[in-house]
Each structure stands twice: as structure tokens, then as C-alpha cells.
Amino acid sequence: MAKETKKEQQQVFAGQTPAFRYVDQVDRWRQEFERAKAVEETLSKLSVLDYREVDYYPQLEAVLFQEKPVPNFDELLEENRLLAQGKFFMPIAYRAGSIAFLLLILVLSPSTFLMWIIACLLLTVFASLFFTVQDRQQTIQKVVAETKEEIKRRIEYHHKTQEEARKKHEAAEQERIAAVERLLSGDIGAMLLKMDVALSSLEVGFSAEVNIDLLEGVPLFQIWLPPKAIVPTQVCTLSPGGRPAYEEKEIRSVNKQYVELCASLIMQVLSRVYEVVPTLDRCYAMGMSKSALNNECYIHLTCTRNEVIQACQAAKGLLAIQQLQAVYNADPMLNLLPIEEIQPEEWGEEVNLQALRSLHVRLKTPQFFNKIPLNAGKQE
């Protein structure tokens, strides 16, 4: 068969290029559709409210330290004994073979002079063999004794490390139980610490922050709402040919989705705080937005623990804040309008700034969400 020329090969590869380009394009279309779908699913998942209060009373019991068993060092003793014994195998075998060879010569030797020489050699080899065997026994005994001492040191080290681990475990348990007791007694520092840990692990799917001011055991939550641009303005569907198709949403539909998103974010923050702080009852919350000129409040509410528990049974976040009688204002197109901020009545008219405790928390953001275009648009 004749070999293909370079020009013919280029023609063949050039003929295959459109097929590869089509496959790559279909794969890019599929990824584009999946990204748009992931955005919608992530935002809608925030509306699912699931209140699960933490029961701290079982945590008041100290967890017993689980001590590790002492390792079995019998194999180490036998291994070292066999290793020491094996070092003398060849010397003993060499001397035993020499004795057998000299005895054979002694029996077959016709000369008396030669017999005396062989007899002297036999005595020398027998003496060497005797001292080698003695050295072997002493070496084995020494190795066994040293191995037993090493095993004893290892067992002592094991008990020592286990005792240190036990002390650390007991100290950690005492510290943990003390922290739970402080939290159950309503300690301000313990409450703020638990809020910080709980909210920093709360994953909402986008970047969000919360400011907490705590005074007289009554907190004020300033929940910074995401920008409206986070809501996609188009609906993405996949055509039978594999190409994504985009359809513009109605402005009122986009605004409604944004209001639901803000309400769900507020409910997620409040439910998570009530789940982990058992002494918290009444709290105040504001949905804030940062603008170019100043910060504006769009939603505010006052609630108690029982009210939040009941509201979390709602199907959507907006229904939940409506059940909590949240205050917000919107125009006919459902654009949120600024309203006045609130201050807890329990704080009094003049707030004692020295007693006010504050905390700033950044909610957890999944890494994949940063790679997703929030405004899905038509791509040629």
C-alpha cells in the first residue's frame, strides 16, 4: 500500500476538524446550560427552611477517654532472636564442615606424621567451634535482654503518652462542658462565639455578611442583602439540537424572585441562630443594602423563638417573614423600597455603647458559585 503524502494527511485531518468542532460546541452548550441551571437551583434551594434545634444537655456529660491497648511486642523479641542466631549460622557451618573434612582425611591418611598434623588441626577447629557456640549463646542472651529492655521502654512510653492524652482529653472535655454551661446560662461571649461559628458555616450560595449587635441579651441582626443582579434575568432551556435557548423573564417575576431571595436569606440566618443559641428569645432583624450614598433598610422584623419555629414550617421564605409580620414596602413592580431602621426597645433610648457587643460574620460561599455567571445571557 502506498504511503500517504503529507498533503493527503493534511486533507484528511482538515476533513475531520468540523466534526471535532461540533462536538466541542455541543459540550460547551451543555456546560452553559448546566451553569445556568445550577444558579437557579442554588437560589431556589435557599427557600427550603429546616429548623433543627441543637440539644445541649447530652453534651454536658463528659466523653470517656478511650485508651489504646498496649501493642504486642512478642514478634519483635522473636525477630531479634532469630536475627542474632542467623549471624552465627555460616561460621558454625563452616567449622563443622572443616571438622568433617579433617576427620575424613585423618581416616584415609597413611602417614603418621600427617595424622598428628591433622589431629592438631582438628583440636584447633573444635576449640574454635566451641568458642563460636559460646559466643552465639551469649550474643543471643544479650540480644534478648536488650530487646526486653526496649520492649519495656516502649510499654512505658505507651503508658506515658496515653496518660498525657488522657489529661488533654479530660482538660478539653472540661473546657467543652464549661463552654456549654456558659452558653446555657446566657453568657454574652459564649452566645457571640456560637453565632460566629454557626453563621460562618452557613452556606447560602452567594457572598453575604451579617452584623450583630448584642445588648441586654437582645440582638439586632443587620443582614446585608445581595445585589439584585444575582437573580438571572433569563430562563435557559436546552433545545433538541443541544443548543441553549434563552427567554427573557418579566421584570415583575425577577423582582419577586429577588424579594423571595432576601426573605429566605433573613430566615436562614434567624433559624440558624435560634438553633444553636438556646437562651435567645426575642431578637430584631433588618435586611440592609449598601448603596452609593448610604445604607438603606428594606425589611425589618421582630420575632421570638416560638414564632421562628412556626414560621420555618412555611413553604417559602417570603411566607415565613409575612407570618412573622415583617415590615417591608414595594412598588407595583415589586421593587423593594427603603424603610426606616429599627432599634430594640429593650436597649432604651440611650444605648450604652460600652456594654454593646458587636460581631461581623461573613457567610460561607461555595467555590463553584464564583465561577457561575449570575446573569445568564445569550452567547453566540
Side-chain angles (χ1 to χ4, degrees), residues 211-253:
N211 289 343
I212 305 173
D213 295 325
L214 186 60
L215 182 63
E216 301 295 336
V218 179
L220 171 62
F221 296 91
Q222 290 181 322
I223 304 167
W224 296 98
L225 306 176
K228 188 182 294 186
I230 199 173
V231 179
T233 59
Q234 297 173 328
V235 178
C236 181
T237 57
L238 203 61
S239 64
R243 183 168 186 170
Y246 292 93
E247 182 181 355
E248 291 289 340
K249 296 181 182 178
E250 295 183 359
I251 298 179
R252 183 181 175 86
S253 176

Side-chain angles (χ1 to χ4, degrees), residues 57 87 116 230 322 331 364:
Y57 289 99
K87 293 180 180 179
W116 280 104
I230 199 173
Q322 289 174 350
D331 61 14
K364 183 179 180 180

Side-chain angles (χ1 to χ4, degrees), residues 155-283:
I155 293 176
E156 291 177 354
Y157 177 76
H158 173 80
H159 289 311
K160 181 181 178 181
T161 55
Q162 288 298 298
E163 185 63 25
E164 293 176 354
R166 179 193 298 276
K167 292 180 179 179
K168 290 182 180 180
H169 174 80
E170 292 176 352
E173 282 297 297
Q174 292 177 0
E175 184 178 355
R176 181 187 63 81
I177 293 175
V180 175
E181 291 176 346
R182 290 195 302 269
L183 182 63
L184 293 176
S185 63
D187 181 75
I188 301 299
M191 293 172 62
L192 289 175
L193 178 61
K194 185 59 67 173
M195 291 180 188
D196 187 9
V197 174
L199 292 180
S200 60
S201 61
L202 176 60
E203 186 174 299
V204 295
F206 49 84
S207 178
E209 301 176 2
V210 179
N211 289 343
I212 305 173
D213 295 325
L214 186 60
L215 182 63
E216 301 295 336
V218 179
L220 171 62
F221 296 91
Q222 290 181 322
I223 304 167
W224 296 98
L225 306 176
K228 188 182 294 186
I230 199 173
V231 179
T233 59
Q234 297 173 328
V235 178
C236 181
T237 57
L238 203 61
S239 64
R243 183 168 186 170
Y246 292 93
E247 182 181 355
E248 291 289 340
K249 296 181 182 178
E250 295 183 359
I251 298 179
R252 183 181 175 86
S253 176
V254 174
N255 293 337
K256 182 178 179 181
Q257 187 176 359
Y258 177 69
V259 174
E260 170 62 29
L261 178 66
C262 296
S264 300
L265 175 61
I266 294 174
M267 288 302 304
Q268 290 288 351
V269 171
L270 293 179
S271 63
R272 177 58 64 90
V273 170
Y274 274 112
E275 285 175 353
V276 299
V277 183
T279 58
L280 183 62
D281 186 24
R282 179 172 295 277
C283 76

Side-chain angles (χ1 to χ4, degrees), residues 2-15:
K3 295 184 178 179
E4 294 180 345
T5 63
K6 184 176 181 180
K7 184 176 181 181
E8 290 174 344
Q9 292 176 354
Q10 292 178 351
Q11 292 177 353
V12 171
F13 293 147

Side-chain angles (χ1 to χ4, degrees), residues 114-182:
L114 184 59
M115 292 176 60
W116 280 104
I117 295 176
I118 294 173
C120 293
L121 291 175
L122 278 173
L123 290 175
T124 305
V125 175
F126 268 116
S128 176
L129 177 61
F130 174 78
F131 289 117
T132 302
V133 172
Q134 290 292 328
D135 188 23
R136 171 178 174 273
Q137 294 296 331
Q138 294 176 0
T139 302
I140 291 176
Q141 292 176 0
K142 181 181 178 180
V143 168
V144 170
E146 291 177 351
T147 304
K148 289 182 178 180
E149 288 295 327
E150 177 66 20
I151 292 174
K152 182 179 179 181
R153 286 194 298 268
R154 291 191 182 187
I155 293 176
E156 291 177 354
Y157 177 76
H158 173 80
H159 289 311
K160 181 181 178 181
T161 55
Q162 288 298 298
E163 185 63 25
E164 293 176 354
R166 179 193 298 276
K167 292 180 179 179
K168 290 182 180 180
H169 174 80
E170 292 176 352
E173 282 297 297
Q174 292 177 0
E175 184 178 355
R176 181 187 63 81
I177 293 175
V180 175
E181 291 176 346
R182 290 195 302 269

